[in-house]
Amino acid sequence: MTAARVSPAKTTKGEETRARILETALELFRDRGYDETTMRAIAAQAHVSLGNAYYYFTSKETLIQAFYGRTHEEHLAASAPMLATRHTLKARLAGVMHAKLDTIEPYHRFAGVLFKTAADPASPLHPFSAESAQVREESTRLFGEVVDGADARVPDDLRAELPRLLWLYHMGIVLFWIHDNSPKRARSRKLVEMSVDLIATLIAFAANPLMRPLRKAALKMIAETK
Amino acid sequence: MTAARVSPAKTTKGEETRARILETALELFRDRGYDETTMRAIAAQAHVSLGNAYYYFTSKETLIQAFYGRTHEEHLAASAPMLATRHTLKARLAGVMHAKLDTIEPYHRFAGVLFKTAADPASPLHPFSAESAQVREESTRLFGEVVDGADARVPDDLRAELPRLLWLYHMGIVLFWIHDNSPKRARSRKLVEMSVDLIATLIAFAANPLMRPLRKAALKMIAETK
DNA sequence: GTCTATAACCGGATAGAC
DNA sequence: GTCTATCCGGTTATAGAC
């Protein structure tokens, strides 16, 4: 399904070549960084010609999109056991967030370039683009599960928006993580802990009838951003 | 002061050439977009050689940084009258935010590339880099003025953090604006209205003694992100 | 030292033959 | 589906003029 999203590769042989190029690229990205890895180097190390590499990946950026799909699936896999065993909102959200950081950690070095591209609305890679829709929706669904499987009392109007809000929150954390050069990314981990706590508290607050007007106002605003 | 930040150009003649290149570049960016504007085209239209353009601007990206400085100063200028006449937090913040959108509107077309670059931690352009420090600090100070000149009651601990928080908020709005293709950027304007309202309400809430623990927790978290 | 110009280099991308 | 040849534009090296 990851493969199907992007381009050719129907036959076994093509698929194999395609996979080889992608593996090589990710390896080189991880080891040398994105800018330092030339398409020529990828092609050479994958034993294909430059033109051939472009047959499978229409641009260097497309390789990044493949990376997205890949880490996203790893994240799903890593989250499943958490969601199966944890039942408080706090524990579930923290589990999913830490799983995310675990998944992308090996790529911290070139993550910057990654999300750089992602910020350009003209790029097919930016998180709100049509091309990213599938990953984004699946990811949002994951946060839906975080909420739905939790024993927290959540007002219905908020519950409807929460998956999208948490997805947005998770993007913010990733953005922080990108700039985080503390040992073992300790600052990002700390931020996850504290923000998850705060979010859980806020959600509990939101259930308070006194908070209804404020909650409604906030949700109305959020509806505008859809 | 904008000029001094970036590179050579001491003499009058150099300064003039430098200014001419920058004007030409911004004009071309605005009219054709960033990627479509080549350094060769900028040089030609500014009547300098390619090498000469690179003498003044060490890369195409540096031209963007100059753009930052430029719009920032325009924003300051456009905000001043607002701050002189408005006295509620809501009106002041709304004024400054709308002024921001007014200032950058002509560049909406290539704003994407702009902030694309800005998202890369390796880039000197990203908002948290040393190179951007001056603009960021001045901008933060502007939001400090928004708060200080307002008649709102703001707890001291919050007041200390508020300028930075509002700066961050303003970055979020700009990010939304970049992706906003509604006529006259109506959605962004609406979002500013609603979010400013919400922020004013939240600040009023924060002054309530009952909110103290929550406020403290939030501020503690924010302190972690410094 | 300040400024300007010309000629490469390098890597992403494309065209077109096989 | 694969290759070779080429384009194109950002960037650099370098030489010299003021």
Side-chain angles (χ1 to χ4, degrees):
Chain A
M1 133 191 145
T2 302
R5 251 203 305 282
V6 190
S7 70
K10 301 283 168 172
T11 71
T12 324
K13 189 178 170 201
E15 260 169 37
E16 202 180 293
T17 309
R18 188 171 204 289
R20 188 152 29 90
I21 295 170
L22 179 55
E23 290 317 312
T24 309
L26 291 183
E27 187 187 322
L28 288 176
F29 288 163
R30 204 176 43 223
D31 296 349
R32 306 183 191 171
Y34 182 79
D35 285 335
E36 291 68 31
T37 303
T38 68
M39 285 299 281
R40 283 164 176 83
I42 295 170
Q45 186 143 338
H47 304 294
V48 293
S49 71
L50 178 61
N52 198 193
Y54 273 99
Y55 173 78
Y56 288 99
F57 297 91
T58 49
S59 73
K60 203 178 169 183
E61 278 195 2
T62 341
L63 286 163
I64 297 181
Q65 194 155 35
F67 163 86
Y68 275 148
R70 160 87 49 114
T71 55
H72 168 62
E73 271 162 39
E74 285 180 22
H75 183 212
L76 285 184
S79 297
M82 314 275 187
L83 296 179
T85 55
R86 303 179 177 197
H87 302 291
T88 69
L89 181 62
K90 215 154 85 175
R92 290 168 72 82
L93 184 55
V96 168
M97 291 305 298
H98 284 302
K100 177 77 181 192
L101 297 190
D102 292 343
T103 305
I104 57 184
E105 181 58 37
Y107 299 93
H108 187 264
R109 181 172 170 187
F110 88 104
V113 184
L114 259 163
F115 291 85
K116 156 185 173 164
T117 322
D120 179 5
S123 159
L125 291 182
H126 89 260
F128 302 104
S129 76
E131 286 83 348
S132 310
Q134 188 181 344
V135 168
R136 187 179 70 247
E137 278 162 23
E138 278 177 28
S139 188
T140 306
R141 205 171 309 132
L142 176 64
F143 286 105
E145 271 184 65
V146 167
V147 180
D148 287 337
D151 51 17
R153 242 180 316 130
V154 183
D156 281 350
D157 54 358
L158 177 58
R159 181 179 291 269
E161 294 297 333
L162 215 40
R164 207 166 61 92
L165 287 175
L166 290 177
W167 176 80
L168 211 57
Y169 154 72
H170 122 277
M171 290 293 284
I173 295 289
V174 170
L175 201 61
F176 184 88
W177 172 87
I178 288 172
H179 291 85
D180 179 5
N181 285 312
S182 63
K184 294 177 70 181
R185 239 61 71 189
R187 299 186 65 213
S188 297
R189 300 295 181 163
K190 187 80 191 282
L191 184 59
V192 165
E193 288 303 317
M194 298 184 87
S195 55
V196 165
D197 262 20
L198 198 61
I199 287 170
T201 306
L202 284 173
I203 291 177
F205 249 81
N208 186 316
L210 283 174
M211 290 292 150
R212 195 165 188 280
L214 185 56
R215 191 183 77 226
K216 287 289 180 194
L219 286 172
K220 195 179 163 202
M221 182 187 86
I222 286 153
E224 286 293 322
T225 68
K226 254 196 230 135
Chain B
M1 132 192 147
T2 302
R5 253 203 303 282
V6 189
S7 69
K10 299 285 168 170
T11 71
T12 324
K13 190 174 169 204
E15 260 168 36
E16 203 179 292
T17 308
R18 184 170 207 290
R20 189 154 27 90
I21 295 170
L22 179 55
E23 290 318 310
T24 308
L26 291 183
E27 189 186 320
L28 289 176
F29 288 163
R30 204 173 46 220
D31 296 348
R32 304 184 192 170
Y34 182 79
D35 285 336
E36 291 67 31
T37 303
T38 68
M39 285 298 282
R40 284 165 177 84
I42 295 170
Q45 186 143 339
H47 305 294
V48 294
S49 71
L50 179 60
N52 198 192
Y54 273 98
Y55 173 76
Y56 289 100
F57 297 92
T58 49
S59 73
K60 203 177 171 185
E61 278 195 0
T62 9
L63 284 163
I64 297 181
Q65 194 154 36
F67 163 86
Y68 275 146
R70 159 86 50 113
T71 55
H72 169 63
E73 270 162 39
E74 285 180 23
H75 183 213
L76 285 185
S79 297
M82 314 275 187
L83 295 180
T85 56
R86 304 180 176 195
H87 301 290
T88 69
L89 182 62
K90 214 154 84 175
R92 291 167 72 81
L93 184 55
V96 168
M97 290 306 297
H98 283 302
K100 177 76 184 194
L101 297 190
D102 292 342
T103 305
I104 58 182
E105 181 58 37
Y107 300 93
H108 187 264
R109 185 172 168 186
F110 89 104
V113 184
L114 259 162
F115 290 85
K116 157 185 171 164
T117 322
D120 179 5
S123 159
L125 291 182
H126 90 260
F128 303 105
S129 75
E131 286 84 349
S132 310
Q134 188 181 345
V135 167
R136 188 179 68 246
E137 278 161 24
E138 279 177 28
S139 188
T140 306
R141 205 172 307 132
L142 176 64
F143 287 105
E145 271 184 64
V146 167
V147 180
D148 286 336
D151 51 17
R153 242 180 314 130
V154 183
D156 282 348
D157 55 357
L158 177 58
R159 182 178 290 269
E161 294 297 334
L162 214 39
R164 206 166 63 94
L165 287 175
L166 290 178
W167 177 81
L168 211 57
Y169 154 73
H170 124 277
M171 292 291 286
I173 294 288
V174 170
L175 201 62
F176 184 88
W177 172 88
I178 288 173
H179 291 85
D180 179 7
N181 285 313
S182 63
K184 293 176 71 182
R185 238 61 71 190
R187 299 184 66 214
S188 298
R189 299 296 181 162
K190 188 79 190 281
L191 183 59
V192 165
E193 288 303 317
M194 300 184 86
S195 56
V196 164
D197 262 21
L198 198 62
I199 288 171
T201 307
L202 284 174
I203 290 176
F205 249 81
N208 187 316
L210 283 174
M211 291 294 150
R212 195 166 189 278
L214 185 55
R215 192 183 77 225
K216 287 290 179 193
L219 287 172
K220 193 179 164 201
M221 183 188 84
I222 287 152
E224 286 293 321
T225 68
K226 256 196 229 139

